[in-house]
Amino acid sequence: MGKLSGKHAVVTGGGSGVGAAIARKLVKAGATVTISGRRRDALDDVAKSLEGITARTCDVTDPDSVASLFSSVSGEHGGVDIVVANAGVAEATPFSKLDLDSWRRTVDVNLIGVYLTIHAGVAAMENKDWGRIVTIASVAGLRGYPYVAHYCAAKHGTIGLTRSVAMELATSGITVNAVCPGYTETPMLTRALDNVMNKTGMNQEDATKALLRTNPMGRFIQPDEVAQTVLWLCGPNSGAITGQAISVSGGEI
Ligand SMILES: NC(=O)c1ccc[n+]([C@@H]2O[C@H](COP(=O)([O-])OP(=O)(O)OC[C@H]3O[C@@H](n4cnc5c(N)ncnc54)[C@H](OP(=O)(O)O)[C@@H]3O)[C@@H](O)[C@H]2O)c1
């Protein structure tokens, strides 16, 4: 029996990158996992890769879609024990060119989406005396970075939201923590590198060096390293850890 045997987890954005790694890690620890996202094919590929993962489409910016996800999976699995609010998007643009549409898209997924997810998650944990909520923020939630003011603002907001909900739930048995990765090797990083190359004319090697400039270890983080931290927070011996923002970033912050 795994240490998460009998637990049901919902992981948003589980069809790729960090979310897929978290889903696999939780299943291997004995949990059953519902992954969600907008792209059915990507979700199905992850679900097919390991028994115990079920795929559901859901757009985290749509309150009805999130409510319907949690009510249907709660009914099927006897509630929800673990919520990982991982879905996110990143766009890069200088602040002087940052328009309201890009601001809204970024805040919609990275902050409002996290609010909707953990709000529905807390409701689905009603009557439980054990629960784990983990938000996937970023080092961009802990300090500023150029060209991503909207992303930094949303991720700072996610950490504030996480800390506040943790205080409200402190005596409930439900912990609430944020994990803050540095640049992590996922499709999001591939898009970031492509963007740097397109906008500056750099080659892949120089674009990689530019993104790693602030990283003391001089390397990208692996999705499994983020997933391992989430697994640790979800484990039976992490009940005293709440309201924290844990950096997984090679010492970047
Ligand atoms: N990669 C990095 O360098 C890095 C660093 C720090 C933090 N992070 C954070 O880590 C998390 C995971 O990102 P990743 O690196 O794994 O990138 P990714 O592979 O692009 O994954 C992002 C996931 O979010 C989902 N998503 C996006 N918009 C959504 C929406 N409106 N509704 C539901 N799902 C949505 C996507 O699925 P669909 O497109 O199918 O909806 C996708 O599966 C994000 O919160 C990101 O900000 C990443």
Side-chain angles (χ1 to χ4, degrees):
M1 283 231 309
K3 61 183 173 183
L4 295 182
S5 188
K7 307 294 187 198
H8 171 228
V10 174
V11 181
T12 67
S16 61
V18 168
I22 293 168
R24 293 193 180 106
K25 197 69 87 181
L26 295 178
V27 160
K28 285 179 185 160
T32 54
V33 179
T34 302
I35 54 169
S36 68
R38 294 163 304 174
R39 290 166 300 138
R40 182 85 231 178
D41 290 355
L43 294 166
D44 284 343
D45 284 348
V46 176
K48 272 187 232 145
S49 72
L50 205 57
E51 200 177 330
I53 303 179
T54 308
R56 289 296 168 99
T57 52
C58 170
D59 183 335
V60 294
T61 66
D62 175 353
D64 292 339
S65 183
V66 176
S68 150
L69 168 72
F70 276 89
S71 71
S72 66
V73 301
S74 290
E76 285 160 26
H77 295 272
V80 174
D81 306 289
I82 297 168
V83 175
V84 185
N86 162 77
V89 291
E91 297 173 16
T93 192
F95 183 64
S96 58
K97 295 192 176 147
L98 177 58
D99 62 30
L100 190 55
D101 283 347
S102 179
W103 175 273
R104 284 203 168 117
R105 269 196 307 278
T106 303
V107 171
D108 239 17
V109 180
N110 294 310
L111 182 54
I112 294 178
V114 173
Y115 151 69
L116 290 171
T117 301
I118 69 176
H119 196 261
V122 168
M125 287 176 183
E126 210 185 358
N127 304 324
K128 300 223 176 209
D129 57 8
W130 186 100
R132 296 285 186 265
I133 296 173
V134 182
T135 59
I136 305 302
S138 169
V139 287
L142 295 167
R143 51 157 286 194
Y145 288 84
Y147 312 125
V148 284
H150 45 350
Y151 184 74
C152 278
K155 292 296 190 182
H156 274 71
T158 289
I159 291 174
L161 171 65
T162 303
R163 288 175 170 149
S164 292
V165 179
M167 294 304 103
E168 283 194 37
L169 299 183
T171 57
S172 69
I174 299 170
T175 66
V176 193
N177 290 289
V179 172
C180 302
Y183 277 118
T184 305
E185 281 196 51
T186 70
M188 184 180 279
L189 176 65
T190 306
R191 290 190 294 273
L193 283 168
D194 287 347
N195 188 43
V196 173
M197 290 190 282
N198 287 338
K199 287 199 172 145
T200 64
M202 283 182 196
N203 61 25
Q204 173 112 16
E205 194 184 341
D206 288 340
T208 299
K209 277 188 194 150
L211 294 191
L212 287 175
R213 208 174 37 234
T214 50
N215 186 306
M217 287 190 183
R219 70 166 179 87
F220 292 132
I221 306 303
Q222 295 304 308
D224 252 13
E225 294 177 299
V226 181
Q228 185 61 40
T229 305
V230 173
L231 176 64
W232 166 66
L233 286 170
C234 292
N237 298 319
S238 300
I241 302 165
T242 199
Q244 303 306 303
I246 296 164
S247 176
V248 183
S249 67
E252 186 150 337
I253 188 163

